[in-house]
Amino acid sequence: MTTPEQLQLPLPELNEIAPDQVINYAIHTYWGVENPQRFGELMEEAKGLVGAGYFLGDNLFTWLRNNSALEDLPFRKAWQENAQNPADEAIVWRRYILACAAYHCVHIPGDFVECGVYVGTGIKTVMDYLGGQAFPKTFWGYDTYDYNPVEGHAFAGQQEGFYEKVQARFEDYPQVRLIKGFLPDSFEDNEPEQVAYLHIDLNNVEGEVAVLERLFDRVSPGGIIILDDYEWAGVYRPQKQAEDQWFDRRKYRIFPLPTGQGIILKR
Ligand SMILES: C[S@@+](CC[C@H](N)C(=O)[O-])C[C@H]1O[C@@H](n2cnc3c(N)ncnc32)[C@H](O)[C@@H]1O
């Protein structure tokens, strides 16, 4: 069997952690709260009532946890250097799920793919965790970039010229292929033959199911699919409904994560 050393993968080193101390984390960025000020005050009070190792943010409040994302120093560096706004700071646990999936998938045959890129922070955090410019895989990033086709979901900066700005962010990463266009049409002539890592984050059911139809069979055994919105309710609930059915027909169950993501381990 080929060892990681023989493959010369640029894997981050595991650092020492303090045996008797854990990291606390709190950021008041969450979604679906009617009165954020009152909620924030209550959460501040609640924090004082729990043991060390609390995490607050991104609609999570946990305690007595290791907060592994923050203990992993190479990850922490990649995340902090790439965070662009308070939402990126809040979703650190979600980002670490991506980073750990990516650590697994660099060992698996196939390319890396993200459908729904926005400004590219998900891609760049993962790549910087796994070697930065030495990242050993082709990474495809699909998005309409200059506009958001999901009604009511436009993000800051999505206007003419946005695609070029995202491209500029990756100018030192020749392994990144940013494909501009509406999915699934933009797969035409621009799609990976084999996939190791597939992150789907389109915020709409039609787009996500279309991506699964197109790419699922190309995901290698041992590859990982991450659905960013799967375990979120509210406007995202139709995604769970459709994706559960889609995977049930193929005899898969999606792992629902407390972060709001869903994970599928390809056989
Ligand atoms: C939540 S953002 C992606 C965030 C990114 N994955 C990250 O981790 O930072 C969702 C993106 O999906 C894109 N999108 C939604 N539906 C699409 C479709 N059918 N084709 C291409 N892009 C789409 C939007 O333009 C938007 O930029």
Side-chain angles (χ1 to χ4, degrees), residues 194-223:
Q194 198 178 13
V195 178
Y197 166 104
L198 175 59
H199 181 213
I200 309 181
D201 185 10
L202 294 174
N203 300 141
N204 72 93
V205 60
E206 297 80 10
E208 298 212 354
V209 169
V211 167
L212 288 170
E213 291 285 350
R214 190 79 178 216
L215 292 186
F216 181 74
D217 289 343
R218 294 179 184 232
V219 180
S220 305

Side-chain angles (χ1 to χ4, degrees), residues 118-133:
Y118 180 41
V119 74
T121 302
I123 295 180
K124 198 154 176 301
T125 303
V126 158
M127 290 183 75
D128 287 348
Y129 181 56
L130 289 157
Q133 287 170 269

Side-chain angles (χ1 to χ4, degrees), residues 65-84:
R65 294 294 168 92
N66 286 316
N67 286 332
S68 299
L70 299 154
E71 298 258 33
D72 183 335
L73 298 180
F75 168 76
R76 200 168 160 150
K77 183 169 184 290
W79 160 64
Q80 280 174 332
E81 286 181 355
N82 284 299
Q84 308 267 303

Side-chain angles (χ1 to χ4, degrees), residues 1 4 31 61 71 97 99 101 132 143 160 196 252:
M1 197 181 120
W31 290 269
F61 178 43
E71 298 258 33
I97 297 290
D143 204 299
E160 208 183 317
Y252 277 88

Side-chain angles (χ1 to χ4, degrees), residues 88 91 94-95 98 114-125 142-150 153-155 158 162 169 179-186 197 199-204 206-208 210-211 228-229 236:
D88 285 334
I91 66 173
R94 276 198 249 181
R95 293 286 191 224
L98 297 183
E114 185 171 86
C115 296
V117 172
Y118 180 41
V119 74
T121 302
I123 295 180
K124 198 154 176 301
T125 303
Y142 297 89
D143 204 299
T144 40
Y145 295 103
D146 292 2
Y147 71 98
N148 193 320
V150 187
H153 254 86
F155 294 111
Q158 287 198 286
F162 186 68
R169 202 174 173 197
I179 310 297
K180 182 182 176 183
F182 185 78
L183 286 167
D185 308 345
S186 57
Y197 166 104
H199 181 213
I200 309 181
D201 185 10
L202 294 174
N203 300 141
N204 72 93
E206 297 80 10
E208 298 212 354
V211 167
D228 185 67
D229 311 318
Y236 301 104

Side-chain angles (χ1 to χ4, degrees), residues 27-254:
I27 177 166
H28 289 281
T29 300
Y30 15 71
W31 290 269
V33 173
E34 263 179 40
N35 183 340
Q37 189 177 336
R38 176 79 182 119
F39 186 77
E41 288 162 6
L42 288 170
M43 294 316 293
E44 278 299 312
E45 194 178 335
K47 260 169 48 187
L49 301 175
V50 298
Y54 60 73
F55 182 99
L56 172 64
D58 196 19
N59 293 22
L60 284 171
F61 178 43
T62 62
W63 58 96
L64 269 178
R65 294 294 168 92
N66 286 316
N67 286 332
S68 299
L70 299 154
E71 298 258 33
D72 183 335
L73 298 180
F75 168 76
R76 200 168 160 150
K77 183 169 184 290
W79 160 64
Q80 280 174 332
E81 286 181 355
N82 284 299
Q84 308 267 303
N85 51 46
D88 285 334
E89 287 173 37
I91 66 173
V92 57
W93 201 325
R94 276 198 249 181
R95 293 286 191 224
Y96 196 54
I97 297 290
L98 297 183
C100 293
Y103 189 107
H104 173 87
C105 292
V106 286
H107 301 265
I108 302 290
D111 295 344
F112 275 46
V113 179
E114 185 171 86
C115 296
V117 172
Y118 180 41
V119 74
T121 302
I123 295 180
K124 198 154 176 301
T125 303
V126 158
M127 290 183 75
D128 287 348
Y129 181 56
L130 289 157
Q133 287 170 269
F135 181 76
K137 298 272 194 182
T138 298
F139 209 136
W140 302 74
Y142 297 89
D143 204 299
T144 40
Y145 295 103
D146 292 2
Y147 71 98
N148 193 320
V150 187
E151 212 185 313
H153 254 86
F155 294 111
Q158 287 198 286
Q159 58 196 26
E160 208 183 317
F162 186 68
Y163 175 60
E164 287 72 20
K165 283 188 190 157
V166 183
Q167 274 188 317
R169 202 174 173 197
F170 289 100
E171 65 183 354
D172 296 328
Y173 297 73
Q175 54 293 58
V176 175
R177 299 192 57 180
L178 300 179
I179 310 297
K180 182 182 176 183
F182 185 78
L183 286 167
D185 308 345
S186 57
F187 282 134
E188 221 51 60
D189 301 326
N190 282 306
E191 88 190 304
E193 280 178 21
Q194 198 178 13
V195 178
Y197 166 104
L198 175 59
H199 181 213
I200 309 181
D201 185 10
L202 294 174
N203 300 141
N204 72 93
V205 60
E206 297 80 10
E208 298 212 354
V209 169
V211 167
L212 288 170
E213 291 285 350
R214 190 79 178 216
L215 292 186
F216 181 74
D217 289 343
R218 294 179 184 232
V219 180
S220 305
I224 299 181
I225 302 168
I226 309 102
L227 305 167
D228 185 67
D229 311 318
Y230 170 78
E231 189 59 5
W232 286 83
V235 295
Y236 301 104
R237 192 157 164 77
Q239 287 173 234
K240 171 187 166 54
Q241 286 174 293
E243 287 159 358
D244 277 348
Q245 296 288 334
W246 197 92
F247 279 105
D248 186 64
R249 289 195 287 279
R250 289 157 184 83
K251 304 290 177 240
Y252 277 88
R253 280 288 178 272
I254 304 172

